[in-house]
Amino acid sequence: MGNCFTSSSSEDNTKPKSTAEIAPFNYIKPSITPKSTTGTINVSLYGPEDCHVTIYLQHALLYKHIPYRFINHETPAIWISNDVLSGTLHEMLAFIETKFVEPKFNKESLYATEPRFFDDIDITTPFIVKVACMQHRGMEYLLANVVRWAEDLKKRGGGKWSSDPSVGSPRMEVKKFEEFYKGLLEVLLEHAQMEEKVIFPLLTKADPGLCKAAHQEHARDLPIMNGIKEVIKSMAVLQIGTPSYKESLSNLVTRLKSLKDHCKEHFEDEEKNLFPLLEAIDQSREQQKRVLAECVDVSTATHSCRLKSILQGLPPQDAMQYLDLIRTCGSQTAQRQSLRGSLRGSECYEPPALEPWTTLLAIEIGYSEAKLRKGGDHL
């Protein structure tokens, strides 16, 4: 995990993973900075780390198989060799496409040179089905991660420090684990709420009782989710390394595995038996957009502070298509207007003034900011 694309060869996959690789990078500071980029081309991505423009560009670079260095900055920009560009999202995507032709951006995922609208996308599957299924994949990824992390904690018995010092002491690691689980729980609950408030009513209107089993499955998993939360809380007060602490770790792994299996089974059942029925409901594209807009409204955290985590579980082209879908659904709410604006780029981010970008250029080639401000060498 981290900010760079890494090899996924079978040789790499057989190597034991450190805790930092198992745990989501949002909660563990990466201890390794990538040392190489494709060929002799240096690529750097600037921007706020939680900005939707930045997230989109990260997945675009991953899709192109381009390692890059990420630098947190107030304004998104892309640096490739000696060329730097800041502007709208689509201008920066076109810039990437001209520098790295292959693989070409998937036209179903995005246009690199012009804004995306639903009328431009040849999609037969209802928009909400695509979004719900991609959320399923993202949640499966997060569930698999949290299970692997818990298994690693159990293997070390709770009392041994991680081989990666960036996670801190055992007590600090449990705190990071608790924070991650809270985020995962928030996403799971918002997804269930989205289905119960938007998707299921569409189906029950056409056929009452159709979603009864799905409602029951949501209710079944809630005690499991809350039980896991209580186990993690108990670990925070137990003496690390004691038999009681180790028993709690074993209990935690068992419960998380049960939740993971239940969710996988539930997702598969919905995708096989419920979601195909949405295609039988005759909806225009405008109606589909309104339905999707309701879903985005319900899933506030999923489409703000938790968005980056969800997208980690998707192939880059799917992550970009997910962002394309949610940004063009249309709404008057301030939350979604902000989301749509940040993705379009021009509404939220103005092209930078000269001085901030001379500073950025100075960082890249070794000039000092002070020298520039004193009217030193021009770039």
Side-chain angles (χ1 to χ4, degrees), residues 125-126 128-137 191 194-195 199-200 203 210-211 214 266-281:
T125 304
I128 185 56
V129 172
K130 290 190 73 70
V131 166
C133 288
M134 285 191 276
Q135 283 189 10
H136 285 174
R137 302 292 81 77
H191 179 81
M194 178 190 80
E195 292 181 336
I199 298 178
F200 293 171
L203 293 168
L210 194 60
C211 300
H266 175 67
F267 296 160
E268 289 176 349
D269 181 64
E270 286 184 335
E271 292 173 22
K272 180 181 179 181
N273 300 315
L274 280 183
F275 291 173
L277 299 177
L278 286 167
E279 297 185 29
I281 300 175

Side-chain angles (χ1 to χ4, degrees), residues 34 41 77 105 138 147 151 162-163 168 199 205 218 250-251 276 317 319 355 379:
I41 300 177
F105 286 131
V147 168
E151 288 176 331
S162 167
S163 59
I199 298 178
K205 184 178 180 180
H218 285 179
S250 181
N251 187 15
Q317 63 270 28
E355 183 176 344
L379 300 177

Side-chain angles (χ1 to χ4, degrees), residues 50 57 92 103 105 167 203 228 244 247 319 331 337 345-346 361:
D50 292 326
L57 292 171
M92 288 187 281
F105 286 131
V167 301
L203 293 168
I228 292 170
S244 296
E247 183 179 352
S331 170
Q337 284 293 336
S346 58
L361 291 168

Side-chain angles (χ1 to χ4, degrees), residues 56-77:
Y56 204 114
L57 292 171
Q58 286 175 329
H59 287 282
L61 290 170
L62 290 176
Y63 177 73
K64 293 284 189 179
H65 300 270
I66 304 300
Y68 64 93
R69 179 174 55 154
F70 175 71
I71 300 170
N72 195 17
H73 191 265
E74 61 183 7
T75 308

Side-chain angles (χ1 to χ4, degrees), residues 241-257:
T242 62
S244 296
Y245 188 84
K246 293 179 180 180
E247 183 179 352
S248 292
L249 275 174
S250 181
N251 187 15
L252 176 65
V253 171
T254 300
R255 288 171 180 259
L256 282 170
K257 284 184 175 179

Side-chain angles (χ1 to χ4, degrees), residues 115-246:
R116 294 289 281 137
F117 298 98
F118 281 130
D119 292 339
D120 296 324
I121 308 175
D122 181 18
I123 296 178
T124 55
T125 304
F127 305 144
I128 185 56
V129 172
K130 290 190 73 70
V131 166
C133 288
M134 285 191 276
Q135 283 189 10
H136 285 174
R137 302 292 81 77
M139 289 184 289
E140 286 174 349
Y141 170 82
L142 296 177
L143 284 161
N145 262 358
V146 78
V147 168
R148 289 167 56 202
W149 193 355
E151 288 176 331
D152 185 56
L153 280 168
K154 179 183 175 183
K155 184 178 179 180
R156 289 184 275 120
K160 295 181 181 179
W161 285 50
S162 167
S163 59
D164 190 332
S166 64
V167 301
S169 68
R171 186 74 69 189
M172 292 165 66
E173 185 177 359
V174 170
K175 182 65 176 176
K176 292 182 191 331
F177 187 94
E178 182 180 21
E179 287 300 314
F180 174 68
Y181 181 73
K182 285 180 180 178
L184 171 60
L185 186 60
E186 189 172 27
V187 170
L188 289 169
L189 292 175
E190 279 197 350
H191 179 81
Q193 188 179 39
M194 178 190 80
E195 292 181 336
E196 292 173 1
K197 289 188 174 182
V198 182
I199 298 178
F200 293 171
L202 286 174
L203 293 168
T204 54
K205 184 178 180 180
D207 185 352
L210 194 60
C211 300
K212 183 178 179 180
H215 277 288
Q216 291 173 344
E217 288 175 6
H218 285 179
R220 174 200 64 182
D221 290 338
L222 191 58
I224 300 176
M225 296 176 189
N226 290 331
I228 292 170
K229 185 166 62 175
E230 293 305 315
V231 172
I232 298 172
K233 281 184 179 179
S234 71
M235 290 170 56
V237 297
L238 291 173
Q239 183 66 36
I240 292 176
T242 62
S244 296
Y245 188 84
K246 293 179 180 180

Side-chain angles (χ1 to χ4, degrees), residues 307-370:
L307 178 62
K308 195 171 183 178
S309 298
I310 280 285
L311 295 181
Q312 285 182 73
L314 302 179
Q317 63 270 28
D318 287 350
M320 289 186 287
Q321 186 177 96
Y322 187 95
L323 292 169
D324 280 334
L325 286 165
I326 63 173
R327 78 184 179 87
T328 50
C329 58
S331 170
Q332 299 303 314
T333 66
Q335 182 269 333
R336 193 157 57 252
Q337 284 293 336
S338 174
L339 182 150
R340 294 171 65 206
S342 64
L343 281 173
R344 288 178 179 175
S346 58
E347 289 96 330
C348 283
Y349 294 99
E350 294 296 330
L354 177 61
E355 183 176 344
W357 286 107
T358 55
T359 301
L360 277 183
L361 291 168
I363 293 170
E364 286 290 346
I365 64 176
Y367 281 90
S368 69
E369 183 178 4

